[in-house]
Amino acid sequence: ARPLGCARPTQSRTSSSLPPSVPMAPKVLMVAEKPSIALSIASALSGGRMSTRKGSTDVHEFDGMFQGSQAFFRVTSVIGHVFSVDFPPAYQNWEGTDPMDLFNAPVLRSESNPKAHIHRHLAQEARGCTYLVLWLDCDREGENICFEVINCTGIPENEVGRRIFRARFSSVTEKDISNAMDNLVLPNKDEALAVDARQEIDLKVGVAFTRFQTRYFQGKYGNLDSRVISYGPCQTPTLGFCVQRYQQINTFKPEKFWSLRTYIIKDGDEIQLEWDRKKLFDFDVTVMFQKMVPSDGALKITDISVKEECKARPPGLNTVNLLKVASSALGIGPQTAMHMAERLYIQGYISYPRTESTAYPASFDFRSVLSTLAHNPLWSNNVRTLMDAGFVKPRQGHDVGDHPPITPMRLAPEEALETDAWRLYQYICQHFIGTVSHDCIYTRTAVEFASGGEIFRCVGHRVTSKGFTSIMPWLAVGENNLPTFKKGDTINIHKVDIYEVRLMSFSQPHNT
Ligand SMILES: *[C@@H]1O[C@H](CO)[C@@H](O)[C@H](O)[C@H]1NC(C)=O
């Protein structure tokens, strides 16, 4: 539907030189969060037929249709936040300001990077524009930057819904971009205000505590070699976790324990049985049990249970889980991994990588993602099988209402990416294919033996259907096939060993 107020664009200054009878196509200013995203948006919407000129950030211009009529589009970008907050000069002085007073101090907003002149740039580019479409990243920060941009353009905020619109997109692909353009919504003021509040709290808590603790500790430790002992509401608690772990490791006292390992020979193979008591912290008592076990001369098979077990496919991938895998399995630190993920998003290869959600929206088109992935020989067999034999929906996850889970959007050629970025992308693809694969099904057989009042067990696993573990082989269920046993049978004990282990445990950390 055409928005209210779009009947006649206001005549811009440049139009005064034209005969009044020529109606001007309305101008639409569109602003993205980064220059590269502005370029992708302009390329997608213009079909590549655009002109580009330099400014504080590049400006791409083209003709097109807006709300059903001919329009002139101008696409540019900010570079992250335009403004940041700080205290007025009167509160900058450490000597003259009590840290407590900072909590009630006024807060000033000023340009984060005055040399980039983003404010002036947006004000200039907005001149003569009837409409403003906000293409900031779709998260809270992006929502906040929306209102920074609105402020810079000088278009009054009460024009939201009439002249100001928000594009909602989760990936920088042509499909998502044109879909967002066809379904413009409104920016969310509440989310933007939440960020304002967070910024003010970070500033006040950070500065007040930093000044206070710098002073406090400087008097106490003469050799403190830091001029400022800074406090951050996130960094300081995180440091607390690191210190706690460090203390746990330092105060670790190894402790010995012992266990019995009983061996049998079946069909020519030696099989080690696990002791039901698992471990004892007393060597002499363990020796006593070692002597008791062969008292019956043989082990009796007291129970055999066969169960079908299932290892569930993963739910959708969110940011925290991506960073965990990057760190523990790929050896890529969280900060580097996040930069790589952002680049993959900007290049249109993956959906927005900042998401807490592990659940997909009900309408999500899994088949189209699968058919995109089908062309890479690394996993094309898995994908074809899923498309032919039927794939499943991902396991139920949490929908936090932000973005869909991190999903491959476009096939990246390996040679287009740096080695680690490719490994990260490959993981995202494998994970996605895993989410729509079947669960892994295996049979667990547990055989229970008894002798001298002690119970032992051996467990076998046999995979009947690999499911998602064929695309995520590192999660495969280890197979070990047991020979056939029969309940009530007896079997000779081959030997009973004692083995010694040093317990890996941490003593309680001290409260220091
Ligand atoms: C922009 O924000 C400033 C400070 O919040 C305010 O004083 C000014 O009126 C705003 N400008 C517009 C055009 O909304």
Side-chain angles (χ1 to χ4, degrees):
R2 287 163 69 107
L4 293 169
C6 85
R8 237 358 72 197
T10 52
Q11 295 280 305
S12 67
R13 254 175 241 156
T14 49
S15 69
S16 59
S17 58
L18 292 167
S21 57
V22 176
M24 287 280 293
K27 290 189 178 127
V28 183
L29 176 66
M30 312 219 284
V31 183
E33 196 155 322
K34 296 185 186 75
S36 53
I37 298 180
L39 175 62
S40 299
I41 291 165
S43 309
L45 295 176
S46 68
R49 285 178 299 276
M50 61 188 190
S51 64
T52 298
R53 61 184 160 82
K54 300 253 170 258
S56 290
T57 55
D58 284 357
V59 183
H60 313 283
E61 290 169 319
F62 54 92
D63 293 308
M65 297 295 285
F66 185 72
Q67 311 279 13
S69 41
Q70 194 68 33
F72 177 76
F73 287 89
R74 183 176 279 171
V75 187
T76 188
S77 74
V78 293
I79 308 167
H81 275 285
V82 184
F83 298 109
S84 54
V85 289
D86 204 351
F87 291 113
Y91 292 84
Q92 300 286 358
N93 185 338
W94 287 46
E95 306 302 322
T97 310
D98 181 344
M100 280 298 269
D101 293 341
L102 292 173
F103 290 96
N104 296 316
V107 166
L108 287 183
R109 265 156 53 98
S110 59
E111 259 191 273
S112 319
N113 182 359
K115 289 205 189 91
H117 298 296
I118 297 292
H119 187 167
R120 193 180 69 194
H121 173 63
L122 292 176
Q124 279 170 357
E125 296 304 331
R127 233 179 267 155
C129 286
T130 308
Y131 299 109
L132 173 64
V133 181
L134 300 154
W135 286 87
L136 289 305
D137 287 353
C138 294
D139 57 12
R140 273 193 183 177
E141 297 299 321
E143 228 53 36
N144 185 271
I145 305 173
C146 280
F147 286 88
E148 296 183 341
V149 170
I150 295 172
N151 185 278
C152 292
T153 60
I155 301 174
E157 261 184 44
N158 62 16
E159 294 286 358
V160 163
R162 284 192 293 270
R163 293 175 57 198
I164 302 172
F165 299 94
R166 172 76 160 123
R168 279 226 157 261
F169 57 107
S170 284
S171 74
V172 192
T173 53
E174 275 189 42
K175 190 176 154 196
D176 254 31
I177 290 169
S178 45
N179 201 20
M181 195 66 208
D182 292 341
N183 296 284
L184 293 178
V185 293
L186 309 181
N188 184 329
K189 182 76 178 176
D190 292 343
E191 283 190 3
L193 289 173
V195 173
D196 280 349
R198 201 259 310 140
Q199 287 176 337
E200 186 170 336
I201 292 168
D202 277 356
L203 175 75
K204 290 185 168 177
V205 172
V207 175
F209 274 79
T210 299
R211 290 187 190 179
F212 172 76
Q213 72 179 9
T214 299
R215 286 278 180 74
Y216 181 82
F217 286 122
Q218 266 171 354
K220 291 208 161 34
Y221 304 99
N223 58 352
L224 206 60
D225 64 354
S226 176
R227 276 185 54 242
V228 175
I229 304 166
S230 65
Y231 179 93
C234 290
Q235 293 84 346
T236 304
T238 307
L239 178 62
F241 292 128
C242 297
V243 171
Q244 187 181 26
R245 185 69 179 163
Y246 174 79
Q247 286 178 341
Q248 282 176 339
I249 291 167
N250 270 347
T251 54
F252 166 63
K253 287 191 190 65
E255 212 179 332
K256 281 183 183 176
F257 67 81
W258 293 268
S259 183
L260 289 189
R261 279 183 174 170
T262 299
Y263 296 84
I264 55 173
I265 300 211
K266 172 84 175 163
D267 303 342
D269 290 326
E270 188 184 67
I271 299 172
Q272 183 208 309
L273 308 180
E274 301 301 330
W275 192 20
D276 196 42
R277 291 185 199 274
K278 300 213 162 56
K279 59 182 178 250
L280 293 177
F281 290 91
D282 188 315
F283 179 72
D284 294 336
V285 177
T286 315
V287 171
M288 182 198 78
F289 280 117
Q290 185 193 22
K291 289 182 178 145
M292 271 169 55
V293 171
S295 61
D296 292 351
L299 288 160
K300 185 168 183 187
I301 298 173
T302 50
D303 190 42
I304 297 178
S305 76
V306 180
K307 270 196 211 135
E308 180 150 284
E309 306 254 342
C310 162
K311 185 167 180 175
R313 62 193 183 279
L317 184 62
N318 66 8
T319 310
V320 168
N321 288 321
L322 176 69
L323 297 185
K324 276 190 193 168
V325 169
S327 171
S328 63
L330 305 178
I332 305 172
Q335 201 180 358
T336 312
M338 210 55 222
H339 277 139
M340 287 176 179
E342 264 167 31
R343 270 198 66 76
L344 291 170
Y345 157 73
I346 289 169
Q347 293 166 318
Y349 293 132
I350 63 169
S351 64
Y352 195 56
R354 287 179 198 281
T355 176
E356 287 178 47
S357 294
T358 53
Y360 282 92
S363 62
F364 193 87
D365 188 355
F366 298 103
R367 180 169 284 276
S368 101
V369 178
L370 278 176
S371 57
T372 303
L373 294 179
H375 302 291
N376 187 315
L378 274 177
W379 45 66
S380 55
N381 282 342
N382 296 74
V383 172
R384 295 240 165 74
T385 310
L386 286 172
M387 292 182 74
D388 297 343
F391 57 88
V392 292
K393 288 206 166 181
R395 184 149 62 93
Q396 189 57 51
H398 293 290
D399 186 355
V400 184
D402 46 2
H403 282 273
I406 303 166
T407 306
M409 302 305 298
R410 205 149 66 80
L411 205 57
E414 182 170 352
E415 59 280 7
L417 300 178
E418 306 256 316
T419 312
D420 278 349
W422 167 255
R423 289 166 70 226
L424 194 69
Y425 172 78
Q426 195 180 352
Y427 175 75
I428 293 168
C429 294
Q430 285 172 303
H431 187 105
F432 175 80
I433 299 167
T435 62
V436 293
S437 299
H438 293 269
D439 292 344
C440 169
I441 310 289
Y442 62 98
T443 311
R444 178 182 187 274
T445 305
V447 185
E448 196 179 278
F449 304 81
S451 182
E454 291 306 290
I455 293 171
F456 298 89
R457 220 169 258 116
C458 64
V459 175
H461 291 136
R462 199 169 51 80
V463 174
T464 47
S465 165
K466 280 188 174 178
F468 75 98
T469 63
S470 57
I471 186 75
M472 304 174 88
W474 58 91
L475 295 176
V477 172
E479 283 200 271
N480 62 319
N481 285 311
L482 293 182
T484 316
F485 291 102
K486 208 165 123 244
K487 190 173 167 178
D489 279 2
T490 54
I491 187 158
N492 286 334
I493 297 169
H494 179 52
K495 61 179 178 195
V496 184
D497 281 351
I498 289 186
Y499 85 112
E500 183 186 295
V501 184
R502 281 178 165 250
L503 177 63
M504 298 295 287
S505 81
F506 296 115
S507 54
Q508 282 300 104
H510 302 291
N511 282 329
T512 47

